[in-house]
Amino acid sequence: MLRTGRRTAKGVAGYDLTRLFVGSEGTLGVITEVTVALRPAPAQSLTMVAVFPSTAAAGAAVAEIAARGLTPSLLELLDQTHLRAIEAYQPMGLRTDAQALLLAAADTGTRAADDLADLAQVCESAGADEVYAATDAVEAAALLQARRLAHPAMEKFAADAYPGGNGGLVIDDVAVPRGSLAALLDGVARIAAECDVPIGVVGHAGDGNMHPNIVVDRADPASLERGRRAFDEIMRLGLDLGGTCTGEHGVGLLKRDWLAREIGPVGVRVHQAIKSALDPAGLLNPGKVL
Amino acid sequence: MLRTGRRTAKGVAGYDLTRLFVGSEGTLGVITEVTVALRPAPAQSLTMVAVFPSTAAAGAAVAEIAARGLTPSLLELLDQTHLRAIEAYQPMGLRTDAQALLLAAADTGTRAADDLADLAQVCESAGADEVYAATDAVEAAALLQARRLAHPAMEKFAADAYPGGNGGLVIDDVAVPRGSLAALLDGVARIAAECDVPIGVVGHAGDGNMHPNIVVDRADPASLERGRRAFDEIMRLGLDLGGTCTGEHGVGLLKRDWLAREIGPVGVRVHQAIKSALDPAGLLNPGKVL
């Protein structure tokens, strides 16, 4: 039984084992108990949407928001595929002619309205067709609903795309520096066309973290193969743009080779040395990550 | 050559080696190059001081600030020993009759004045004799000057305390949960009396991280021994209060035994396993930390 971390706000006693175990995906030990710190609840947040005629314009807006040092508490992107899937799943008046929608929130209390106005101005300068800010908390919550429906709507879209209920999603998770978001979005559109698979993109634009959802027919080996190729091409593109193969979902089995490529041979040796030191018999989640 | 970290805002690919190396004090490798992320510059900050008739009242104010979820950008404490040392070093009208002074800042832009008012109210409720807020940036900077002089003033105090220029400081670095700050301050005063050594306390109250400065005569073995005993008693008190033996200064040679006590035998074994995995020949900063 190893206990890591501390109850103090600060501390530098010994190695940061908590951070080493978080994200190790069970390969270094089994976490049996977690104590979390509480942070102050944020003030009421305000929300806005910006509608873009191109993904490049939406990507440029995100890059400019980061460059200006604006810090929205939420900055999410939905592409046209998602907008159409959501509108088909539950009509809510989304602009399905738009190529991309950015959803932003500010939770800075009395300053939130000013922060939203700054975000709106950046979106307009970057070429947004339309910017709409919620005027109260109820409306702000309503604007977030589209984002919440993104996953079930895409599942429905995939199920409907192929006969016999065999349509499904391969959900990717790639993050790039925020300045490269437009290049990532353009590249994913090119990969979708080249591999001949539908791909919708949704994600955490403010983190440069996108989830390309690749639509495949699970009953058709050719469709699965095209989906796998698209998945690999997206990984390659993400790394070429200076990004990472996983922003938040982890490595598991699917991305072991991409992790090795991302961290390089020295990185792999250091990972293996740590793994062997803490799990010499290789009992812990064998075969995963490394 | 190992490269760790990433250029993206987020990422979970592999073990968090950056965090493992940061704070390893050269025992796992030699850091040859560091790339840091830039954060937006904060808005202009405003500053206030609160003067307390007891360290317990100052500690209670800090606990209440944390409990209310207030987040000052700076919250520093100076005890009476420091106030007197600073006033002797460079007279600036500090209240040397006070037992403790809290210095707080808020950098929340248009909201900073409101935030300072909340902090002032908490300090008054906790028993502050006097609360004074800066009305502009120049005055705010002036209030910070006392804190900046704390170290040279205490060095001068120590040099003057013993003949022949042999007076010096043993600077400790202990952090406790913020709710235990008052108990830490009371305990340090008790230890100073019991060990018969002058101890001034200064530090980062908002982090629960204090620097007891133990004044010793480097030419007098008995004084050094009393200082060493006080140092150990403070470490013991910090751990008993649920704290850590080092908030920010690190372990080095001086706190190896206290680190072992803090992390326990399993923690030590895990540290040694990682150290051996990355430095099997024991070449890296030998004898330190572990």
Side-chain angles (χ1 to χ4, degrees), chain B residues 51-63 100 102 122-123 125-129 182 185-186:
Chain B
V51 175
F52 292 87
S54 72
T55 53
V62 171
L102 278 181
V122 171
C123 288
S125 298
D129 281 340
L185 295 169
D186 287 350

Side-chain angles (χ1 to χ4, degrees), chain A residues 110-111, chain B residues 41-49 65 69-76 102-121 123 132-141 143-144:
Chain A
T110 54
R111 214 178 54 197
Chain B
Q44 186 64 58
S45 68
L46 293 178
T47 311
M48 55 153 267
V49 291
I65 286 167
L70 302 176
T71 54
S73 55
L74 174 147
L75 186 58
E76 297 283 307
L102 278 181
L103 185 58
D107 63 0
T108 41
T110 54
R111 215 179 52 197
D114 290 345
D115 286 354
L116 272 197
D118 289 345
L119 293 168
Q121 191 263 309
C123 288
Y132 181 74
T135 51
D136 60 36
V138 174
E139 204 178 14
L143 293 183
L144 296 177

